[in-house]
Amino acid sequence: MRLEGKKAFITGAAQGIGKAIALGMAKEGADIGVADVNIESAGKTADEIRALGVKSIAIRLDVSRQNEVSSAFEMFTKEFGALDILVNNAGITRDNVLLRMKEEDWDAVLSINLKGSFLCSKEAVKIMAKQRSGRIISISSVVAFMGNPGQVNYSASKAGLIGLTKTIAKEYASRGIRANAIAPGFIQTAMTDVLSEAVKEEMKKAIPLGQFGTPEDVTNAVIFLASREADYITGQVLHINGGMYM
Ligand code: NAP
């Protein structure tokens, strides 16, 4: 098992990609903190994870609130005694074209997707720097690189994550911390289920591999970056998009 005994804190892990990452890491032997605004679903995910034979706790957390982030990491370390892996996965969309984009929709997306990752990374680095080891993996998006009509807030937040990742990688490499990002393309989850079949068919035409990705495709990349196999990788972006962006 590639993550035997590791302690992982995953945000937005109650469902979708975050849940798949949590289950995938647990299968590799990691103990998991399932942090999510939706504590009921987070609790169910933690139950599923414990059934795999590792430890898991559900933590109610809105990543955009500094006080909640501090207490969540306190709760995690009290339970697990260490923090080896942080996955900044919690994210939302509030789509509209620039001229119709409301300031509150800009703020909501930037607060959760970008500021939330800043707050969680800061708490994680405090712990990891003392340990002189740790992995931070942030879930960006292909739209950070390509842009996407209707997602001026979302694509800006996901592009911001790349700068955050590279800077953490430079600032804390000497403390044994690796920071990397993953940029998924179109992945089948609740976030993308809302699109019409016609839109989905149109999008498939832009993907050389001709199909959407699954949460497990993203999970495989996260496990790789969290494992010893990625010891010499930091400050990088791994693209998981079926060739949609090269
Ligand atoms: P999802 O199914 O909507 O799951 C996101 C999870 O994050 C939900 O459980 C959500 O809870 C939770 N969450 C929302 N706001 C939060 C907050 N303030 N604090 C803590 N948790 C919060 O989304 P997904 O498709 O799995 O996406 C996961 C990540 O991958 C996101 O960062 C997304 O931007 C990124 N991504 C997704 C795709 C894709 O095609 N699906 C592509 C590229 C990147 P509620 O449901 O209760 O709000």
Side-chain angles (χ1 to χ4, degrees), residues 6-10 25 30-33 76 80 83-86:
K6 298 291 180 198
K7 318 291 178 200
F9 186 109
I10 307 171
M25 284 192 161
D31 296 326
I32 311 285
F76 181 90
F80 296 126
L83 171 64
D84 301 299
I85 303 157
L86 164 66

Side-chain angles (χ1 to χ4, degrees), residues 12-170:
Q15 66 172 45
I17 294 173
K19 180 177 177 180
I21 294 169
L23 288 168
M25 284 192 161
K27 284 179 193 153
E28 293 289 342
D31 296 326
I32 311 285
V34 179
D36 203 288
V37 271
N38 188 334
I39 188 65
E40 212 182 312
S41 309
K44 286 184 190 148
T45 300
D47 290 344
E48 276 184 57
I49 291 170
R50 281 193 296 274
L52 296 169
V54 296
K55 288 187 195 153
S56 184
I57 54 167
I59 305 169
R60 207 217 88 87
L61 169 65
D62 177 345
V63 292
S64 65
R65 294 177 185 271
Q66 207 273 324
N67 55 340
E68 290 190 24
V69 173
S70 304
S71 359
F73 278 85
E74 218 170 274
M75 184 177 167
F76 181 90
T77 44
K78 211 169 168 190
E79 181 71 23
F80 296 126
L83 171 64
D84 301 299
I85 303 157
L86 164 66
V87 184
N88 285 315
N89 166 77
I92 62 162
T93 52
R94 293 280 186 280
D95 296 352
N96 224 327
V97 291
L98 175 65
L99 291 180
R100 291 201 193 124
M101 174 72 59
K102 293 194 186 113
E103 190 180 348
E104 62 252 39
D105 290 334
W106 171 271
D107 288 344
V109 168
L110 270 289
S111 286
I112 293 171
N113 299 9
L114 185 55
K115 183 182 156 192
S117 301
F118 153 69
L119 293 173
C120 291
S121 300
K122 194 171 169 183
E123 289 301 322
V125 165
K126 279 186 204 165
I127 304 162
M128 291 171 175
K130 282 191 200 137
Q131 293 172 178
R132 300 208 156 257
S133 69
R135 304 283 168 110
I136 297 176
I137 300 156
S138 298
I139 311 298
S140 176
S141 167
V142 69
V143 304
F145 298 85
M146 298 177 74
N148 198 25
Q151 293 199 309
V152 69
N153 50 358
Y154 183 79
S155 49
S157 73
K158 294 298 185 180
L161 276 182
I162 307 299
L164 177 89
T165 296
K166 291 185 178 182
T167 302
I168 293 171
K170 286 190 174 176

Side-chain angles (χ1 to χ4, degrees), residues 2-3 10 15-28 32 85 87 89 137 139 182 184 187 189 213-227 238 240:
R2 288 181 290 170
L3 303 177
I10 307 171
Q15 66 172 45
I17 294 173
K19 180 177 177 180
I21 294 169
L23 288 168
M25 284 192 161
K27 284 179 193 153
E28 293 289 342
I32 311 285
I85 303 157
V87 184
N89 166 77
I137 300 156
I139 311 298
I182 286 183
I187 308 297
T189 65
T214 64
E216 288 67 35
D217 291 323
V218 179
T219 298
N220 291 334
V222 175
I223 290 172
F224 166 68
L225 287 175
S227 75
L238 192 44
I240 315 283

Side-chain angles (χ1 to χ4, degrees), residues 203-219:
M203 290 181 82
K204 275 187 194 165
K205 288 184 195 155
I207 303 171
L209 287 179
Q211 61 192 39
F212 300 142
T214 64
E216 288 67 35
D217 291 323
V218 179
T219 298

